[in-house]
């Protein structure tokens, strides 16, 4: 049977990350490819206790249809938490619960941009969002990043060159894939340009609570006076991704439209897990739990960085030193192809994700390679970094 697919899906390729995750069942193989938090951090005992309490006290409500905006107590707790701790959200904003940050990004684009209009994003950027935009037939324009995130000095010329730009999509804090954090000055400049050119910003920040060092940098949303920023957050990285609970904080009028779009997408997010997350986040121990996650990831990040430092010969590659999040981004010298390196690594039983996966033009050659440090064990980090360094030392002439 020859299937006829819609134009909207025809250009989408299966995510290279998903394909790589399937690969290599060999227990000796090491993977730096995933973007997953470590299951060691999942608060499973507490979740089991809360789950049994919900079955005992609220099963009727937990397994009934709910409202599309989300479970009201979780919306309130989330709203209060991000406002108190991160000055994010004003009286004119609301919070809705979505099925992961991924859905928040997709819904925001759906209600704010028409087919064919432009979204400006970082280059490289999160493939889930890029595919979410592609499937809506939005045009993507990438702006290169350096250690301080998107190079906002290049933003204005792109806004001028693409007057149909409706959205700037940014991951300002501990970016996926490159680990960078957008500086305060650039955050202000981005917001200023968004005002000047009348575009909305999607601030995607699923990692902002996973900081291992350095000063807190205010969210763009916290500086937003005119309802220009849609803040997408998630409980995936600080509780567990399988529960699929994220949230969006933004102007009420925009969230009302997103709620209508969500209604036709999945009616509402899983109510049982919304109730469970509500009780978890309301618990006094929730901040201590996040601190424990940070402790584990800080250790793994440090291990990876020091192994790279020790093992890669000077001049053969550079890499980012993320202050938080889950990723280190390695860059080969100009002209070298990260994809070719990943093929060599794969043969040596190390999986990494090639940089072009995260590019606006997936056929472009990228000298970047993404490494994840949250999931591998200490021994796997040591072993994987040895394979990586040995391969880079040989590959780069
Ligand atoms: C930058 C970024 N945004 C959004 C998401 C989506 O997270 P979730 O849908 O699990 O909340 C991810 C997941 O890896 C991500 O890296």
């Amino acid at each position: 049977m020859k299937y006829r697919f819609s134009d909207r899906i025809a250009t989408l390729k299966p995510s290279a990350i998903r394909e790589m995750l399937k690969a290599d069942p060999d227990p000796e193989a090491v993977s730096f490819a995933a973007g997953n938090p470590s299951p060691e951090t999942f608060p499973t005992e507490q979740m089991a206790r809360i789950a049994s309490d919900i079955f005992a006290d609220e099963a009727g409500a937990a397994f009934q249809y709910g409202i599309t905006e989300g479970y009201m107590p979780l919306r309130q707790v989330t709203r209060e938490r991000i406002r108190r701790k991160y000055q994010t959200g004003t009286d004119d904003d609301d919070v809705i619960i979505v099925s992961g940050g991924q859905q928040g990004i997709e819904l925001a684009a759906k209600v704010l941009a028409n087919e064919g209009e432009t979204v400006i994003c970082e280059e490289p950027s999160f493939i889930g969002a890029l595919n979410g935009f592609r499937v809506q037939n939005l045009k993507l324009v990438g702006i290169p990043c350096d250690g301080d995130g998107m190079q906002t000095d290049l933003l204005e010329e792109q806004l001028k060159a693409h007057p149909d730009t409706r959205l700037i999509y940014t991951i300002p804090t501990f970016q996926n894939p490159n680990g960078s954090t957008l500086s305060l000055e650039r955050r202000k400049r981005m917001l200023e340009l968004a005002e000047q050119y009348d575009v909305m910003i999607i601030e995607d920040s699923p990692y902002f609570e996973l900081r291992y060092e350095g000063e807190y940098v205010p969210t763009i949303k916290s500086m937003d006076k005119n309802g220009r920023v849609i803040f997408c957050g998630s409980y995936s990285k600080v509780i567990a991704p399988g529960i699929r609970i994220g949230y969006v904080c933004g102007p009420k009028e925009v969230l009302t439209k997103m709620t209508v779009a969500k209604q036709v997408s999945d009616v509402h997010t899983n109510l049982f897990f919304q109730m469970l997350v509500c009780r978890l986040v309301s618990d006094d121990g929730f901040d201590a739990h996040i601190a424990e996650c940070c402790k584990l990831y800080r250790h793994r990040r440090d291990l990876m960085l020091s192994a790279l430092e020790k093992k890669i010969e000077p001049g053969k590659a550079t890499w980012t030193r993320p202050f938080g999040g889950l990723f280190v981004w390695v860059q080969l010298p100009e002209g070298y192809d990260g994809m070719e390196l990943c093929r060599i690594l794969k043969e040596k039983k190390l999986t990494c994700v090639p940089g072009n996966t995260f590019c606006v033009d997936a056929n472009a050659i990228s000298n970047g390679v993404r490494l994840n440090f949250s999931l591998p064990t200490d021994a796997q980090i040591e072993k994987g970094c040895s394979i990586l360094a040995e391969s880079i030392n040989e590959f780069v002439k």
Side-chain angles (χ1 to χ4, degrees), residues 41 56 84 108 124 173 188 249 276 327 340 365 381 386:
T41 65
R84 175 173 44 86
T173 308
K188 288 183 181 160
C249 172
L276 191 143
F327 307 106
E340 223 178 300
I365 290 186
I381 291 177
S386 296

Side-chain angles (χ1 to χ4, degrees), residues 98-269:
V98 285
S99 302
Q102 171 76 32
Q103 187 181 49
I105 301 161
E106 197 215 326
L107 293 177
K110 200 175 257 172
V111 306
L112 292 168
N114 284 319
E115 286 198 13
E117 289 178 330
T118 297
V119 179
I120 294 183
C121 58
E122 284 133 9
E123 173 99 302
S125 186
F126 169 51
I127 183 164
L130 298 186
N131 279 344
F133 301 139
R134 286 180 179 124
V135 84
Q136 298 183 48
N137 288 328
L138 298 172
K139 260 187 330 204
L140 294 173
V141 171
I143 303 216
C145 295
D146 59 21
D148 284 335
M150 183 192 282
Q151 296 181 29
T152 45
D153 52 331
L154 306 176
L155 181 56
E156 184 158 23
E157 72 192 59
Q158 292 302 335
L159 285 164
K160 278 189 185 143
H162 301 276
D164 64 349
T165 301
R166 301 304 304 273
L167 290 166
I168 298 169
Y169 168 70
T170 180
I171 311 157
T173 308
F174 318 136
Q175 209 249 18
N176 177 6
N178 70 20
S180 68
T181 291
L182 193 67
S183 65
L184 180 59
E185 204 177 296
R186 288 185 181 183
R187 287 173 194 231
K188 288 183 181 160
R189 182 68 183 140
M190 185 185 283
L191 188 55
E192 203 173 84
L193 286 170
E195 294 282 358
Q196 194 179 330
Y197 287 84
D198 192 19
V199 301
M200 296 286 288
I201 296 175
I202 300 179
E203 178 176 18
D204 179 20
S205 220
Y207 302 105
F208 78 122
E209 298 216 64
L210 295 179
R211 173 176 286 280
Y212 318 134
E213 66 177 274
E215 288 289 306
Y216 163 70
V217 186
T219 63
I220 305 172
K221 182 75 192 145
S222 70
M223 301 181 254
D224 176 27
K225 302 276 179 291
N226 298 319
R228 216 160 257 290
V229 183
I230 313 289
F231 183 89
C232 295
S234 177
Y235 289 111
S236 284
K237 315 292 167 166
V238 289
I239 298 180
I243 58 177
R244 309 304 307 131
I245 308 280
Y247 54 91
V248 180
C249 172
K252 287 177 183 156
E253 206 179 324
V254 178
L255 293 200
T256 301
K257 294 285 186 209
M258 287 174 67
T259 303
V260 176
K262 180 172 165 62
Q263 171 93 51
V264 294
S265 163
D266 63 356
V267 185
H268 64 78
T269 294

Side-chain angles (χ1 to χ4, degrees), residues 31 121 163 220 257 294 298 394:
S31 178
C121 58
I220 305 172
K257 294 285 186 209
C294 289
R298 182 184 301 114
E394 241 172 64

Side-chain angles (χ1 to χ4, degrees), residues 178-179 213 301-302 305 309 319-324 327-329:
N178 70 20
E213 66 177 274
R301 176 204 63 166
D302 290 348
L305 291 174
E309 193 68 49
W319 52 92
T320 51
R321 194 174 195 292
F323 280 11
F327 307 106
V328 170
W329 179 250

